[in-house]
Structure formats: structure tokens, C-alpha cells
Amino acid sequence: MEELRQECPLPTDARQEETDERTNLICKLRHKQGTSNLSSATFNVINSIIGSGMIGLPYSLKQAGFPLGIMLLLGVAYITAMISYNIVTGDTLTKVFQRIPGVDQDNFFFGRHVIILCATIIFTLPLSLYQNISKLGKVSFISLILTVIILVVGIIRAITFSGHVSQTENPWVFARPNAIQAIGVMSFAFICHHNSFLIYGSLKEPTLSNWTRVTHVSVSFAVFVSLVFATCGYLTFKGYTEGDIFENYCRNDDLATFGRFCYGITVILTFPLECFVTREVIANMLFSGNLTTFYHIILTIIVVAVATSISLVYDCLGIVLELNGVLSATPLVFILPAACYLKLSEERWSHSDNLLSGLILTIGVLVMVVGFIMTVLHPQECSHGKEMPYCFLGNSSLINSTIPSPQQNHQP
């Protein structure tokens, strides 16, 4: 406690009180004794980053052009909601259960709506009811292990299956006009800012050095996983790459089915982190941050129910990732941090840090506006539930066969 008093001293006069206003929030978080060690906090941050957004990274490389996409992915990572999680759960686990012998595609009990409802009621809702985010550390560790398994599946299929998919037109073009939309998808994949205060406050020792260590390790690991997964996904399917990369794999691919199962569980385990943030924001706005156990349960149920309801109505992941990216992730990653820095900075406007912040702010506004317009005018065609043309050919004939173009593949 003596250390906390030294780091967060009480104001002695009005002038000091005004000076200390910027650090009040951090001081409050430090006075709330957390229970997370550095490993637990790191797992939570990684789990927050590698959520449903990762599955759309190969598609973002297709949108931007492979070389430019790799550069943008690294750039977004350096600078650094919940509906998509349920959509991913429904998409991936539906195909997993349909591989069970005797289960056909029209089976009601294994349809995406039933699976989303069951996963929500049995898993995501109970985990979301926790009041302390540090309790999700072990859950996030399990999600991390499953993510590594998914990465291995992607690498294996890039090696063993990419030769069975015919070349598409200009797969290695440096840049494409949809690069702005790709930035939105990448921004959503790396968004973790909304969880930062909660995870920081959960640390046993919430110091700047500990938080720096957590963020650097978490983001570095997420960059590695995302870069490898995006590259392997795009190298495998190139111009056929969908917003949900698991839509590209054939239904009878048992290894891909295992990857779908692992990813579905990962998404289920990531959902509660997002619910924590949503509930915290609503609690701060309407209840001054203080919730009784009863209101905690009611608010959690409402948040989960609203997200689940929208997920049941809409099932196209690509446009959800794009809209989340340009309207939610881009402001959190680019616009708000840069604007806050410029507002609080005491340096001259010509200072290098201010110029860099101004540049990031301008890029963020440009990406948000242009990305939203392009997403509305040129929405991604959703191929949910469709089998790709290369899945209908035998392995012996795949290599020497001419496969229809991605445009033909979208025709009903």
C-alpha cells in the first residue's frame, strides 16, 4: 500500500489536483487489488487479439494484394465485437457435427441456429457471468493451445492441398483497390484496446513495466500467429479465399473438420472477454460502475441475448468483419488514441510525436470513411454453406483439371 501511495499521491492543493486528473483512472485501477499474474494477463490479451478476426486475415490479403497485405498486417499490428464470434461458432461447429455418420445437412438439431443457442446457453453465458476477468486466465490458456493447433492445421493444408487448387488471375499482384477494406479487417483482428483497462486492473502488481511486458509478449505472439495463418490460408486458396477461411475447406476434409472444431471452441472461450467489456461500459454509463449481483446477472443475460439474436439473423462473416473493422476497430486503433495524445500533449504542434499522431489520426479517419463506403457499395458475396468447385473432383484429377473462376463459384 505504501508503494501505491507513492505512485498515486493525494492532492495537496487545487493546482496539484488539476495536474493529477490525468492519472486518476490509473490510480483507481491500482488501488483495486487484482489477482492475475503476468502469465494469466498475457493469455487474456492474446485471447482478446486472436479471436474471430483471425479467421478473416487470409481474405484481407486477397483484398489488399498479397505483398501489400503482408505490409499492412505488420503495420496495423505495430500500431496496436461480439456478433462475429457467434457467427463463427455457428459456421464452424455446424460442419463439424455434420461429419458425424448419419447426420445430414438438413438435420434441425445440428443446424447453425441450434448450435449457436446451445453454445451460448451451455458455455458462453456461464463464462460471461464471472465478475472478475482474472478468472478467465485458464480459459484463455486453453484457447491459446487450441490456436496453436489450428495454426498447425493451416500449415499442413498449405503444404498438402494448395497444389490441388488451380491458379487464379494475378494472385501475387502487389496491391488491389480493396486495400482499405483489408485494413478494416486487420484492425478488427488486432483490436484489444477495449480490454486493456480491465486486464491491467486485474494484475496483482499493475505497474507500467509489468503491463509493457504483457503487451509486448502478447502482441508479438499474435503477430506471429496471424502472419503465418494469413499467409498459409492465402497460399492455399489464393483468389478463392473467403471471409471465413474454413468455408474454403472441403466438407470431407477430416483434418480441416478438426481445425473447425478447435476454432469453434476457441471462439466460445473468447466471447466472455468481449462480454466483460460491453457489460463494464454499460455499468459505468447507467450504474456508475457499481452492479449488484442481481443486476450483474440481468445485464449479462441481456448483452449475450442481443448479440446472439443478431447472429441468428445474419450469417455472412466477411461483411461483419469489414463493418466491425471500419466502424469499431479503426476508431479504437487509430483515431481515439491519436486524438487523445494530441489533446494531452504539451509539445508544439510541429513536434515529431505530434506530427506522427496527426498522420495516424488522418489515416484512421480516411480508412473509416472510405472503408465504410466501399463496404456498402461493394459488399462481399457470402458463400456460406456452399461447397467449393475443387471439392467435387477426385484427387487424381484435381491437379490437371481446369477449375472455375472464383466469380463463377459464386453463381447460384
Side-chain angles (χ1 to χ4, degrees):
M1 291 300 297
E2 183 63 31
E3 180 184 355
L4 290 176
R5 293 191 188 97
Q6 293 176 358
E7 292 183 355
C8 301
L10 295 176
T12 57
D13 53 41
R15 183 176 181 181
Q16 183 179 345
E17 183 175 0
E18 181 179 355
T19 303
D20 291 343
E21 184 177 355
R22 299 177 186 175
T23 60
N24 278 347
L25 179 58
I26 296 179
C27 291
K28 289 179 181 178
L29 289 173
R30 289 181 178 177
H31 280 291
K32 291 182 179 179
Q33 183 67 33
T35 58
S36 295
N37 54 31
L38 294 183
S39 298
S40 179
T42 301
F43 296 151
N44 278 334
V45 174
I46 293 175
N47 195 24
S48 177
I49 297 175
I50 306 178
S52 64
M54 185 183 78
I55 206 172
L57 288 177
Y59 173 72
S60 70
L61 299 186
K62 171 189 172 183
Q63 291 284 77
F66 183 76
L68 178 61
I70 295 295
M71 296 169 59
L72 291 176
L73 180 62
L74 294 174
V76 170
Y78 179 76
I79 296 175
T80 51
M82 298 192 314
I83 295 172
S84 62
Y85 288 85
N86 279 332
I87 293 178
V88 171
T89 300
D91 287 351
T92 55
L93 294 185
T94 298
K95 292 187 176 181
V96 171
F97 290 121
Q98 287 175 352
R99 285 291 294 158
I100 299 176
V103 177
D104 56 43
Q105 298 182 19
D106 298 325
N107 191 303
F108 172 79
F109 295 101
F110 293 97
R112 65 181 305 274
H113 294 82
V114 175
I115 289 177
I116 289 176
L117 286 175
C118 290
T120 299
I121 296 173
I122 299 174
F123 297 105
T124 56
L125 181 57
L127 290 174
S128 299
L129 287 172
Y130 278 125
Q131 295 185 354
N132 190 339
I133 198 171
S134 62
K135 294 184 180 296
L136 295 178
K138 294 180 180 179
V139 172
S140 295
F141 176 71
I142 297 174
S143 178
L144 174 61
I145 298 300
L146 293 175
T147 299
V148 174
I149 296 175
I150 296 165
L151 183 63
V152 173
V153 171
I155 294 174
I156 292 175
R157 275 295 169 258
I159 297 173
T160 61
F161 192 70
S162 59
H164 297 326
V165 181
S166 67
Q167 289 289 332
T168 53
E169 185 178 358
N170 297 325
W172 312 117
V173 64
F174 181 82
R176 296 185 187 274
N178 291 335
I180 296 293
Q181 292 167 274
I183 295 177
V185 176
M186 293 175 183
S187 299
F188 177 74
F190 280 95
I191 190 68
C192 62
H193 305 62
H194 54 303
N195 288 322
S196 298
F197 284 112
L198 286 176
I199 299 176
Y200 175 85
S202 72
L203 287 170
K204 291 180 180 178
E205 298 180 8
T207 62
L208 182 60
S209 59
N210 284 342
W211 181 242
T212 300
R213 191 179 311 169
V214 168
T215 54
H216 279 70
V217 172
S218 303
V219 175
S220 298
F221 180 82
V223 169
F224 171 76
V225 172
S226 300
L227 188 62
V228 175
F229 186 81
T231 302
C232 289
Y234 182 77
L235 290 179
T236 305
F237 302 107
K238 304 178 185 68
Y240 293 95
T241 305
E242 296 290 331
D244 180 348
I245 190 62
F246 280 114
E247 289 289 308
N248 284 103
Y249 294 102
C250 304
R251 291 181 183 274
N252 61 356
D253 188 337
D254 291 332
L255 181 62
T257 299
F258 177 65
R260 290 187 184 102
F261 175 76
C262 292
Y263 195 77
I265 300 300
T266 298
V267 171
I268 289 174
L269 299 180
T270 306
F271 184 98
L273 281 172
E274 311 308 314
C275 184
F276 262 79
V277 179
T278 305
R279 184 179 59 219
E280 184 80 5
V281 172
I282 296 175
N284 288 331
M285 291 177 58
L286 302 180
F287 303 96
S288 301
N290 299 316
L291 289 176
T292 63
T293 301
F294 175 77
Y295 283 110
H296 171 87
I297 295 175
I298 294 300
L299 183 56
T300 302
I301 293 175
I302 292 175
V303 170
V304 173
V306 171
T308 302
S309 299
I310 299 176
S311 304
L312 293 173
V313 174
Y314 198 76
D315 64 353
C316 192
L317 182 65
I319 192 171
V320 171
L321 295 180
E322 290 178 356
L323 289 177
N324 274 340
V326 297
L327 297 181
S328 299
T330 299
L332 283 174
V333 174
F334 297 98
I335 299 175
L336 292 178
C340 289
Y341 182 86
L342 291 173
K343 177 67 176 179
L344 299 174
S345 176
E346 297 179 354
E347 302 289 345
R348 297 181 58 185
W349 68 268
S350 58
H351 190 273
S352 58
D353 290 340
N354 287 343
L355 292 177
L356 180 59
S357 298
L359 177 62
I360 294 175
L361 176 63
T362 303
I363 293 175
V365 174
L366 179 65
V367 170
M368 184 177 68
V369 175
V370 177
F372 176 75
I373 294 174
M374 292 185 66
T375 300
V376 173
L377 295 180
H378 307 286
Q380 178 204 0
E381 294 184 26
C382 186
S383 65
H384 173 70
K386 295 181 181 178
E387 191 79 311
M388 290 295 175
Y390 45 76
C391 296
F392 296 104
L393 302 176
N395 290 336
S396 60
S397 60
L398 271 170
I399 300 177
N400 300 318
S401 297
T402 302
I403 298 179
S405 67
Q407 289 75 20
Q408 293 175 313
N409 176 52
H410 286 299
Q411 296 297 324

